């Protein structure tokens, strides 16, 4: 199986985001990692290749430093990486999808499966996989928690509300978005990290792929910190007094009961 | 005055309560004509409730000569056809498992921009506010297209009644799809528990809950509070005390209830990524220095196994 895994290079979720100007942030102050949901996709691809043979290739659209994210995916078992270089962290998801499509097609092998995460934790778009599938004319299912690939089709499960699940089938090749529950992403061991340093990474500029990053239909107007609460009002007293006071506040002051 | 569509979600034969906030967002204090779309459902049982929140047209959508129910691509295409039919300049829905999926399919199909998980919309200016960086920042996004598509975070926009006379119409476009994605089975959960994202009140138990059975303490309190759901932290899910469907946070569900009660939560960034936009946050923790007390509204220092049963009792008595 020829599997492509789309992995985004994102600030660590624990990183402090310092906003600069109207729409920027200080990215040199944050540690960058592979988008956490994309790790479920990498793990699924590596497991499929281990069982059924073939090759798992990681693709990212990002800055030069995103090579680090490709290396961590290769340490998990991907065979090689493709970096499509861009300047901005806030690329429109339609442009990202066009770049991913162009990079996968330019690789010259026919994809059997394309895996992504369910969403990126920086821009929280929840749509790149649908646009990629749309552009390539492939079926797509997102937020999968179970995957079975057999006989030219993928059988997947996704959560739909309180504990309920939907079972879906899609013909291969298809695009699938992974989420927590699909598997437990492995921690690469030291020798795997060393091996990953020697694996090939193909780098190209987005313009070399014929994709124009200026055609976006969304524009970021403003980025602002979510106001933090300034600290709790502590409710004192014995447990009985505390809860009675809490009920009174929730009812009379906050009016949420 | 613009024509704005709202995809209405029905679950277990009932209107989800979170639909009303979306209708309110579409209505914009009477600025717009609101079209409520029902996929493969009859409008009659829901007509009065939808009209009470400003839906002037209620549209029963089906596909001519095809079954919508098992094919998400066909559903998205039928909805996309409605945008044209009713000259809509906006279509809103819920960022639920179903809504997120359908809106993304529709956006890809029409090659239109989409904001998923929006928390505020301005249909006139075509801007949407949404979370970026796991809930740490808000981004305001300008849509540069004729139609604004947005799936709204459940409970993010407060519903306001705006009664109108509603008219029911049906729309049956001839759309087709090869059916390369098929729903083969729905495994419905046996319990009648409310989905976390739908719940107006959530009580969450963290790692110190200690076992699956101990969640009863929180469930009893949830019953005393009225419609409320019980959630878990990732630490509790990873320890096997609760299923992943109960997890709140960056790798779990994003919720925005009017009241969030966190019991035995330290207050991690990743947990807050999923519940920060709650209206009122209350924390119960044995440690007076727990970080959660710095980012919530009300705090009680105490053992959750003492405080929660006391709270249940106080609620029942008052
Ligand atoms: C990529 C990534 C994604 C993550 N995603 C999520 C996510 O989606 N959701 C999530 O929740 N976490 C997530 N986490 C984990 C997160 O960082 C924390 O580890 C986790 O939230 C801690 O859970 P907790 O608050 O239940 O437990 P703890 O941090 O162990 O805190 C327990 C608290 O309970 C208090 N306590 C102890 N006993 C009692 C008692 N009897 N009564 C009252 N209080 C008591 C303690 O003082 C302590 O403050 C993620 C982490 C990473 C790296
Ligand atoms: N710049 C990117 N490079 C590679 N993959 C990406 C990129 N942006 C998004 N993706 C993939 O698409 C998924 C959804 O992203 P998003 O639509 O931004 O939430 C992510 O989990 C990734 O797998």
């Amino acid at each position: 199986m020829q599997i492509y895994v789309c992995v985004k290079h994102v600030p660590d979720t624990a990183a402090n985001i310092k906003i600069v100007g109207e729409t920027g942030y200080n990215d040199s102050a944050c540690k960058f990692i592979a988008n956490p949901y994309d790790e479920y996709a990498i793990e699924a691809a590596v497991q499929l290749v281990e069982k059924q043979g073939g090759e798992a290739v990681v693709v990212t659209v990002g800055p030069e430093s995103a090579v680090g994210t490709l290396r961590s995916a290769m340490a998990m078992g991907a065979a090689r990486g493709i970096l499509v270089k861009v300047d901005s962290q806030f690329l429109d998801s339609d442009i990202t999808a066009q770049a991913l499509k162009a990079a996968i097609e330019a690789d010259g092998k026919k994809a059997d499966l394309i895996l992504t995460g369910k969403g990126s934790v920086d821009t929280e778009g929840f749509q790149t996989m649908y646009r990629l599938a749309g552009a390539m004319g492939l079926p797509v299912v997102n937020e999968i928690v179970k995957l079975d690939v057999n006989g030219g089709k993928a059988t997947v499960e996704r959560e739909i509300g309180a504990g309920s699940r939907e079972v879906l089938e899609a013909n291969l090749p298809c695009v699938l978005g992974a989420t927590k529950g699909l598997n437990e992403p492995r921690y690469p061991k030291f020798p795997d990290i060393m091996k990953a340093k020697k694996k090939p990474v193909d780098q190209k500029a987005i313009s070399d792929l014929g994709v124009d990053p200026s055609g976006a239909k969304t524009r970021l107007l403003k980025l602002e910190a979510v106001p933090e609460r300034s600290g709790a009002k502590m409710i004192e007293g014995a447990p009985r007094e505390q809860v009675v006071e809490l009920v009174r506040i929730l009812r009379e002051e906050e009016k949420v009961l | 005055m613009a024509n704005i569509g709202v995809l209405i979600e029905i679950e277990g034969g009932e209107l989800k309560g979170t639909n009303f906030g979306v209708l309110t967002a579409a209505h914009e204090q009477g600025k717009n004509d609101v079209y409520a779309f029902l996929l493969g459902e009859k409008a009659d049982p829901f007509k009065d409730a939808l009209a009470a929140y400003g839906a002037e047209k209620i549209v029963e959508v089906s596909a001519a000569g095809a079954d919508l129910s098992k094919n998400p691509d066909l559903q998205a295409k039928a909805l996309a056809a409605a945008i044209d039919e009713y000259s809509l300049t906006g279509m809103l829905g819920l960022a639920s498992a179903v809504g997120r999926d359908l809106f993304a399919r529709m956006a890809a199909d029409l090659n239109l921009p989409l904001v998923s998980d929006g928390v505020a919309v301005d249909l006139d200016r075509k801007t949407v506010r949404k979370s970026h960086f796991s809930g740490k920042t808000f981004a305001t996004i300008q849509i540069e297209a004729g139609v604004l598509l947005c799936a709204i975070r459940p409970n993010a926009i407060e519903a306001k009644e705006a009664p109108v006379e509603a008219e029911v119409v049906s729309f049956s476009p001839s759309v087709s799809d090869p059916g390369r994605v098929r729903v083969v089975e729905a495994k419905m959960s046996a319990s009648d528990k409310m989905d976390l994202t739908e719940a107006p009140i959530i009580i969450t138990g963290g790692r110190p809950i200690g076992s699956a059975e101990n969640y009863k303490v929180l469930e009893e309190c949830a019953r005393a509070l009225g419609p409320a759901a019980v959630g878990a932290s990732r630490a509790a899910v990873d320890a096997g005390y609760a299923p992943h469907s109960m997890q709140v946070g960056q790798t779990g569900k994003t919720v925005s209830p009017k009241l969030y009660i966190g019991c035995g939560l330290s207050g991690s960034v990743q947990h807050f990524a999923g519940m920060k936009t709650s209206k009122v946050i209350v924390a119960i923790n044995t440690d007076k220095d727990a970080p959660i007390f710095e980012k919530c509204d009300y705090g009680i220092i105490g053992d959750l196994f003492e405080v929660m049963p006391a709270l249940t009792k106080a609620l029942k008595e008052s």
Side-chain angles (χ1 to χ4, degrees):
Chain A
M1 284 234 294
Q2 185 67 22
I3 308 176
Y4 291 89
V5 189
C6 305
V7 180
K8 192 175 188 186
H9 185 62
V10 298
D12 190 335
T13 52
N16 193 6
I17 302 294
K18 275 210 183 65
I19 294 171
V20 181
E22 283 292 291
T23 60
Y25 73 104
N26 183 359
D27 58 0
S28 60
C30 331
K31 181 183 160 217
F32 275 69
I33 55 169
N35 183 43
Y37 293 109
D38 303 353
E39 292 189 348
Y40 301 108
I42 301 164
E43 180 63 35
V46 171
Q47 284 185 17
L48 278 169
V49 168
E50 281 168 355
K51 277 194 216 106
Q52 309 191 3
E55 185 190 40
V57 181
V58 274
V59 192
T60 192
V61 180
E64 184 101 43
S65 53
V67 168
T69 281
L70 290 177
R71 297 263 174 237
S72 66
M74 292 189 291
M76 288 175 70
R80 56 193 174 88
I82 302 172
L83 167 66
V84 180
K85 276 187 278 184
V86 290
D87 301 328
S88 167
Q89 186 76 15
F90 299 117
L91 203 59
D92 181 87
S93 58
D94 180 36
I95 309 281
T96 305
Q98 288 180 40
L100 290 169
K101 170 183 189 269
I104 292 169
E105 287 175 354
D107 198 46
K109 297 192 174 175
K110 190 182 163 295
D112 295 305
L113 189 60
I114 299 173
L115 294 170
T116 73
K118 83 149 183 187
S120 47
V121 298
D122 56 350
T123 52
E124 305 181 37
F126 306 114
Q127 53 189 284
T128 304
M129 63 299 285
Y130 292 91
R131 296 192 186 278
L132 176 61
M136 296 184 77
L138 299 178
V140 55
V141 184
N142 195 22
E143 301 190 54
I144 66 165
V145 293
K146 194 160 183 257
L147 167 64
D148 208 11
V149 176
N150 231 318
K153 69 172 195 232
T155 307
V156 302
E157 290 188 12
R158 63 193 298 267
E159 287 183 355
I160 45 160
S164 301
R165 284 182 174 196
E166 203 170 57
V167 185
L168 299 106
E169 280 177 3
N171 301 350
L172 297 187
C174 63
V175 180
L176 301 173
T179 191
K180 182 172 189 250
L182 183 62
N183 51 41
E184 277 303 324
R186 65 194 70 187
Y187 285 107
K189 299 197 184 64
F190 185 70
D192 300 321
I193 295 171
M194 295 314 288
K195 243 195 275 171
K197 292 192 174 158
K198 300 209 183 69
K199 291 182 179 175
V201 173
D202 179 12
Q203 300 197 20
K204 47 192 96 184
I206 190 166
S207 53
D208 292 345
L209 288 167
V211 177
D212 174 11
S214 68
K217 291 191 194 122
T218 58
R219 191 157 47 90
L220 181 62
L221 287 184
K222 197 170 170 54
L223 198 60
E224 56 202 306
V226 171
E228 290 289 347
R229 289 167 160 89
S230 57
K233 178 171 185 287
M234 301 305 289
I235 302 173
E236 314 287 344
R240 172 75 198 160
E241 294 157 22
Q242 288 172 314
V243 296
V244 168
E245 172 63 1
L246 177 63
V247 172
R248 187 197 65 76
I249 291 172
L250 295 177
R251 244 186 218 139
E252 292 169 18
E253 291 177 21
E254 298 288 354
K255 301 189 179 9
V256 290
L257 291 189
Chain B
M1 184 67 97
N3 293 350
I4 306 296
V6 174
L7 172 63
I8 299 296
E9 288 193 28
I10 311 281
E11 195 171 62
E14 298 202 34
L15 274 181
K16 285 187 175 180
T18 43
N19 285 305
F20 301 121
V22 183
L23 286 170
T24 300
H27 191 248
E28 290 190 320
Q29 292 95 36
K31 268 200 279 181
N32 305 317
D33 279 339
V34 179
Y35 290 68
F37 294 96
L38 291 162
L39 281 179
E41 299 274 351
K42 285 278 159 229
D44 219 37
F46 315 115
K47 184 179 170 197
D48 293 346
L50 295 173
Y53 288 87
E56 278 177 51
K57 291 258 184 346
I58 303 175
V59 187
E60 299 172 335
V61 182
S62 56
D67 177 12
L68 280 181
S69 69
K70 301 275 186 285
N71 184 336
D73 286 315
L74 201 57
Q75 291 174 16
K77 283 181 179 166
L79 212 53
I83 293 179
D84 226 20
E85 175 77 13
Y86 299 101
S87 312
L88 305 179
T89 54
M91 174 80 95
L92 309 180
L94 284 164
S96 62
V98 171
R100 272 196 307 269
D101 183 61
L102 278 183
F103 271 72
R105 285 182 196 281
M106 189 162 55
D109 191 40
L110 295 169
N111 202 13
L112 279 174
L114 160 72
V115 177
S116 203
D117 204 28
V119 295
V121 274
D122 183 328
L123 289 157
D124 206 26
R125 292 207 172 90
K126 289 212 163 69
T127 59
V128 185
R129 236 157 104 88
K130 79 171 311 287
S131 139
H132 260 27
F133 298 108
S134 315
K136 287 191 281 277
T137 68
F138 278 132
T140 305
I141 292 170
Q142 177 78 54
I143 300 294
E144 291 172 337
V147 183
L148 179 149
L149 299 180
C150 178
I152 293 174
R153 178 177 298 182
N155 288 320
I157 295 170
E158 201 173 328
K160 288 199 187 73
E161 286 198 41
V164 288
E165 279 296 321
E167 180 196 353
V168 175
V169 294
S170 41
F171 176 53
S172 193
S174 47
V175 283
S176 65
D177 179 81
R180 293 173 308 174
V181 176
R182 310 167 286 278
V183 179
V184 289
E185 191 191 343
K187 294 184 177 170
M188 300 316 278
S189 135
S191 82
D192 57 354
K193 276 188 196 149
M194 182 179 255
D195 185 52
L196 281 175
T197 54
E198 284 294 303
I201 299 177
I202 295 175
I203 310 177
T204 293
R207 193 198 309 264
I209 200 83
S211 73
E213 298 83 73
N214 285 346
Y215 272 102
K216 278 208 189 80
V217 178
L218 308 187
E219 274 152 21
E220 273 160 26
C221 188
R223 271 194 292 278
L225 277 167
V230 174
S233 69
R234 173 155 168 184
V237 171
D238 287 351
Y241 308 151
H244 180 242
S245 58
M246 272 170 70
Q247 184 179 318
V248 173
Q250 186 206 301
T251 36
K253 293 200 162 128
T254 304
V255 299
S256 201
K258 61 183 180 186
L259 174 59
Y260 191 91
I261 307 180
C263 310
L265 297 177
S266 54
S268 70
V269 182
Q270 293 92 353
H271 191 82
F272 267 67
M275 40 64 82
K276 215 178 189 178
T277 54
S278 303
K279 191 162 171 234
V280 177
I281 302 175
V282 178
I284 295 151
N285 196 303
T286 43
D287 176 6
K288 68 170 180 20
D289 296 320
I292 194 165
F293 288 136
E294 265 147 48
K295 32 182 161 172
C296 69
D297 299 298
Y298 298 97
I300 292 182
I301 299 166
D303 184 337
L304 77 94
F305 293 105
E306 250 178 82
V307 177
M308 292 311 284
L311 177 59
T312 309
K313 194 154 167 267
L315 284 164
K316 281 183 179 157
E317 284 167 6
S318 65

